[in-house]
């Protein structure tokens, strides 16, 4: 039986009396007291609070905008200061060299001193050999002005080697400060600019000096910047018209025009276009200007050396009329969205083609005639899988394929066959992919598949690739993706799936945490070891899990 005290402590008793009095006072208060009307005050406070928040957001956005603009301006100013410091330091170095030479000359005149110069080993090289070394330097896309700054002997040799000075870039002065690729050099007290091996010409004086250094017969490589100003009275337009007319047109080996405003070309009349006997590579923007048509017509007739062509907006039907297609070895498409409407019309003339680069969308298609491109070793195609059978590529080694096209002509395709492909990358969402390409890739060793369905299609595709060694399967962010594949990898029925498998990467490739070796992965690893075909590396990505194992170790 618990003990109950007869009396509470004094402090506790006082507290209890206070609580009882408060409750009694509360009971005596009216049951339905009317609260003061504060609706207007609350609404005013709410509006003031909303206005204050909006003002704070606006001020914060303005402050951030000012910070961003200031940061960008600061970066530009720092770059300009850096360039000015470099030029200043180069000028100081040149003046110090001149002063040292002057002092030495005075010593020789006053005291009869003679400086004994011990030539380095490279100074003993014959001039022809040194000139050849310089040409290798420029072929690595390095500026020839670097060589001219080394010493007087190298400068003289560089100036006597016209092959170093055949690469020109037409660039306006105002773009100089915003292009981080531009390098400046001070040679003989004069500032020279270049981008890689290309000399920058911002006016006719610089252009003429570059032409003089390049000799009189060597092919010229000319690039007009992407953001050139084609105004009627501008420098770019006048230089462009000079290059496409005689006699400079007959020296062009590479003509690269990034962009063009045909309105200014139409106003520049008359336009005369010369011959292009040395032209090997051209990049012309898509334009309906009469000038571009004249250039293409002249190239088609006079350029027997043309091998490379870049089509910014794809191959349009109007280009099919020209006769240079049979001479091309490399065709490059432009940015995403380019079309190949005219490619079907010239496919029979591309027997010598070795490279088809860039995105070629919706090609081959149902209108593509059967063709053999016997020299292509690597190609990227965006089309519908059944239309791959339109092409025969007997030397193809690397194929990158992304499904893109119409599925309204399934009864109009041929059997797909690429027996020499070693590297294959596929992105598709077609469940019939493995049916179209069954047995088409017997020699594939490196296979990448982007597939966001179940495991059936990857398994069926791999069954037809007995030579595959390295497999990458990019799939959905699902913990079930790949489970059936691992079960298929340990089936004892012949033939064994992927008998030569060495590396397997499976999942969406997102970095994950909490590594854990799941049972079906363990069983697949053990089965492969037991049959004498161990897998060297398996990397699996699942949500919140990453498994990386090295069974062969």
């Amino acid at each position: 039986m618990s003990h109950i005290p007869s009396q509470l402590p004094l402090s506790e008793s006082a507290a209890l009396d206070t609580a009882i009095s408060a409750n009694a006072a509360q009971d005596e208060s009216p049951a339905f007291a009317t609260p003061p009307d504060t609706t207007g005050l609350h609404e005013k406070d709410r509006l003031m609070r909303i206005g204050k928040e909006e003002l704070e957001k606006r001020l914060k956005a303005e402050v951030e905008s000012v910070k961003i603009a200031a940061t960008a301006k600061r970066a530009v100013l720092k770059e300009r200061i850096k360039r000015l410091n470099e030029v200043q330091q180069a000028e100081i170095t040149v003046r110090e060299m001149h002063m040292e030479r002057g002092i030495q000359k005075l010593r020789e005149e006053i005291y009869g001193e003679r400086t004994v110069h011990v030539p380095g080993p490279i100074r003993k090289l014959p001039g022809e050999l040194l000139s050849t070394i310089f040409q290798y330097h420029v072929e690595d896309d390095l500026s020839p002005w670097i060589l001219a700054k080394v010493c007087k002997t190298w400068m003289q040799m560089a100036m006597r080697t016209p092959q170093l000075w055949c690469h020109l870039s037409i660039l306006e002065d105002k773009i100089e400060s915003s292009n981080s690729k531009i390098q400046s050099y001070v040679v003989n007290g004069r500032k020279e600019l270049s981008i890689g091996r290309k000399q920058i010409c911002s006016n006719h004086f610089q252009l003429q000096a570059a032409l003089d250094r390049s000799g009189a017969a060597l092919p010229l490589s000319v690039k007009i910047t992407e953001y050139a100003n084609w105004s009627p009275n501008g420098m770019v337009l006048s230089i462009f018209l000079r290059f496409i007319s005689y006699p400079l047109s007959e020296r062009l080996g590479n003509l690269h025009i990034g962009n063009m405003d045909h309105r200014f070309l139409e106003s520049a009349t008359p336009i005369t276009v010369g011959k292009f006997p040395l032209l090997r590579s051209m990049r012309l923007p898509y334009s309906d200007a009469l000038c571009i048509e004249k250039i293409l017509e002249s190239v088609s007739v006079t350029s027997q050396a043309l091998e490379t062509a870049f089509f910014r907006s794809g191959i349009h039907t109007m280009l099919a009329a020209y006769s240079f297609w049979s001479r091309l070895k490399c065709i490059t498409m432009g940015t995403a969205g380019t079309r190949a409407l005219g490619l079907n019309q010239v496919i029979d003339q591309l027997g010598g083609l070795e490279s088809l680069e860039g995105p070629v969308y919706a090609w081959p298609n149902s209108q593509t005639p059967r063709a053999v491109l016997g020299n292509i070793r690597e190609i990227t195609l965006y089309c519908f899988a059944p239309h791959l059978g339109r092409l025969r590529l007997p030397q193809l080694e690397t194929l990158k394929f992304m499904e893109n096209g119409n599925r309204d002509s399934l009864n109009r395709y041929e059997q797909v066959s690429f027996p020499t492909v070693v590297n294959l990358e596929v992105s598709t969402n077609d469940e019939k992919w493995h049916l179209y390409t069954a047995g088409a890739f017997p020699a594939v060793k490196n296979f990448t598949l982007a597939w966001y369905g179940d495991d059936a299609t990857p398994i069926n595709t791999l069954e037809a690739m007995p030579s595959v060694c390295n497999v990458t399967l990019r799939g959905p962010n699902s913990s079930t993706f790949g489970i059936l594949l691992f079960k298929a990898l340990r089936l004892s029925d012949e033939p064994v799936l992927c008998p030569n498998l060495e590396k397997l990467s499976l999942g969406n490739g997102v970095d994950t945490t909490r590594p854990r070796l799941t049972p079906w992965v363990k069983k697949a690893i053990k089965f492969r070891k037991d049959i004498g075909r161990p897998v060297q590396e398996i990397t699996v990505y699942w949500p919140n899990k990453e498994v990386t194992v090295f069974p062969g170790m």
Side-chain angles (χ1 to χ4, degrees):
M1 183 174 181
S2 60
H3 176 72
I4 301 176
S6 60
Q7 290 185 345
L8 294 172
L10 181 60
S11 58
E12 294 183 7
S13 177
L16 182 60
D17 293 340
T18 302
I20 294 172
S21 301
N23 290 335
Q26 184 175 2
D27 293 338
E28 293 176 359
S29 62
F32 302 99
T34 303
D37 186 7
T38 59
T39 304
L41 294 176
H42 290 170
E43 182 66 18
K44 184 182 295 186
D45 291 342
R46 188 180 68 83
L47 293 176
M48 290 181 64
R49 184 172 63 256
I50 292 175
K52 183 179 179 180
E53 293 176 353
E54 290 295 331
L55 181 60
E56 290 178 350
K57 289 181 181 178
R58 190 180 305 170
L59 290 175
K60 185 176 180 181
E62 292 179 357
V63 170
E64 290 297 327
S65 177
V66 172
K67 287 182 179 180
I68 293 174
T71 303
K73 187 66 174 179
R74 188 183 298 111
V76 173
L77 292 175
K78 284 184 178 180
E79 184 64 24
R80 290 183 179 178
I81 293 172
K82 178 182 177 182
R83 292 186 181 278
L84 289 174
N85 290 337
E86 291 176 352
V87 173
Q88 183 181 11
Q89 187 59 42
E91 292 177 351
I92 292 173
T93 303
V94 171
R95 292 183 182 275
E96 289 177 349
M97 293 174 62
H98 285 306
M99 290 178 62
E100 291 177 358
R101 292 173 184 172
I103 293 172
Q104 183 59 37
K105 186 175 181 180
L106 289 175
R107 287 181 177 275
E108 292 176 357
E109 293 176 355
I110 297 173
Y111 303 106
E113 294 183 0
R114 291 291 183 269
T115 303
V116 179
H117 297 282
V118 180
I122 196 170
R123 295 181 181 273
K124 299 178 182 180
L125 292 177
E128 295 80 2
L129 182 57
L130 191 61
S131 176
T132 303
I133 295 174
F134 286 177
Q135 294 178 48
Y136 281 112
H137 168 88
V138 173
E139 288 179 4
D140 288 338
D141 199 23
L142 299 174
S143 175
W145 292 115
I146 298 175
L147 305 172
K149 284 177 60 66
V150 174
C151 62
K152 186 176 181 179
T153 302
W154 280 35
M155 180 187 295
Q156 293 174 350
M157 181 57 62
M159 294 302 177
R160 290 200 296 265
T161 308
Q163 292 86 349
L164 307 181
W165 311 100
C166 295
H167 309 278
L168 312 178
S169 179
I170 311 303
L171 187 66
E172 297 163 297
D173 290 327
K174 65 180 181 180
I175 302 181
E176 175 186 335
S177 60
S178 61
N179 195 328
S180 60
K181 296 182 180 180
I182 294 179
Q183 298 173 319
S184 63
Y185 307 90
V186 177
V187 181
N188 276 342
R190 180 180 298 170
K191 181 181 178 181
E192 306 289 354
L193 301 176
S194 66
I195 299 179
R197 62 183 174 182
K198 299 181 181 66
Q199 309 161 78
I200 294 178
C201 301
S202 299
N203 52 57
H204 287 279
F205 174 79
Q206 294 176 350
L207 174 62
Q208 190 57 51
L211 292 175
D212 293 340
R213 288 190 292 268
S214 66
L218 293 174
L220 297 173
S221 176
V222 178
K223 178 180 180 179
I224 298 181
T225 178
E226 182 81 16
Y227 305 103
N229 180 10
W230 291 87
S231 59
N233 299 323
M235 175 270 303
V236 172
L237 180 60
S238 60
I239 289 181
F240 167 74
L241 296 177
R242 183 177 175 185
F243 270 114
I244 65 173
S245 59
Y246 177 84
L248 288 183
S249 66
E250 298 191 0
R251 289 192 58 190
L252 282 179
N254 180 11
L255 179 59
H256 181 144
I257 303 176
N259 203 349
M260 178 182 294
D261 194 330
H262 66 276
R263 295 174 299 173
F264 297 136
L265 288 176
E266 294 173 353
S267 63
T269 56
I271 296 177
T272 58
V273 177
K275 299 179 180 180
F276 301 89
L278 302 180
L279 192 65
R280 299 175 60 87
S281 174
M282 69 173 181
R283 173 174 178 164
L284 301 178
Y286 174 71
S287 173
D288 56 358
L290 180 62
C291 176
I292 299 298
E293 293 183 10
K294 288 184 176 181
I295 294 175
L296 289 172
E297 290 175 359
S298 180
V299 169
S300 182
V301 175
T302 64
S303 176
Q304 299 300 318
L306 186 66
E307 295 182 349
T308 302
F310 178 94
F311 300 98
R312 182 183 181 88
S313 299
I315 300 177
H316 297 263
T317 54
M318 71 174 189
L319 296 174
Y322 300 111
S323 61
F324 48 70
W325 299 102
S326 60
R327 301 190 291 273
L328 293 180
K329 293 184 178 179
C330 177
I331 294 178
T332 302
M333 296 294 189
T335 56
T338 55
R339 296 174 291 174
L341 301 179
L343 195 54
N344 287 340
Q345 300 181 27
V346 299
I347 189 67
D348 58 337
Q349 303 179 48
L350 300 178
L353 194 66
E354 297 178 359
S355 176
L356 182 60
E357 301 177 356
V360 187
Y361 287 94
W363 189 87
N365 47 55
S366 58
Q367 285 77 40
T368 302
R370 289 176 293 179
V372 178
L373 303 177
N375 298 319
I376 291 183
R377 296 183 179 275
E378 180 175 351
I379 195 170
T380 300
L381 297 175
Y382 295 73
C383 65
F384 185 36
H387 297 146
L388 290 172
R390 299 276 174 160
L391 300 181
R392 290 293 181 267
L393 307 169
Q395 299 296 324
L396 188 66
E397 297 176 356
T398 300
L399 171 62
K400 298 178 182 180
F401 167 81
M402 179 175 290
E403 185 182 29
N404 182 295
N406 298 322
R407 304 188 182 186
D408 56 355
S409 55
L410 295 184
N411 58 340
R412 302 178 59 188
Y413 70 91
E414 301 177 17
Q415 180 62 40
V416 178
S417 178
F418 296 96
T420 59
V421 170
V422 177
N423 308 302
L424 177 62
E425 295 185 19
V426 176
S427 177
T428 181
N429 57 5
D430 188 356
E431 297 178 354
K432 297 182 180 180
W433 155 261
H434 64 283
L435 299 178
Y436 307 141
T437 59
F441 306 101
V444 168
K445 294 187 179 297
N446 306 304
F447 178 52
T448 298
L449 174 63
W451 169 258
Y452 292 89
D454 56 23
D455 292 2
T457 293
I459 293 173
N460 293 330
T461 302
L462 291 173
E463 286 178 347
M465 297 181 182
S467 300
V468 69
C469 299
N470 305 309
V471 177
T472 300
L473 299 179
R474 302 191 182 100
N477 189 18
S478 169
S479 59
T480 61
F481 179 70
I483 294 179
L484 295 180
L485 174 63
F486 278 108
K487 290 182 178 180
L489 287 173
R490 58 184 176 86
L491 292 178
S492 58
D493 298 338
E494 293 290 342
V496 177
L497 182 65
C498 302
N500 300 306
L501 185 63
E502 297 178 358
K503 295 182 180 181
L504 171 63
S505 177
L506 185 145
N508 57 12
V510 179
D511 291 338
T512 53
T513 57
R514 293 191 302 167
R516 187 180 67 179
L517 199 59
T518 51
W520 46 83
V521 178
K522 288 182 179 180
K523 293 179 181 179
I525 293 172
K526 183 178 183 304
F527 173 77
R528 287 287 168 161
K529 286 184 177 181
D530 292 342
I531 65 173
R533 298 183 182 274
V535 183
Q536 297 178 4
E537 178 180 333
I538 298 179
T539 303
V540 181
Y541 299 90
W542 279 309
N544 301 323
K545 305 179 187 70
E546 177 185 344
V547 180
T548 304
V549 296
F550 303 89
M553 297 180 62

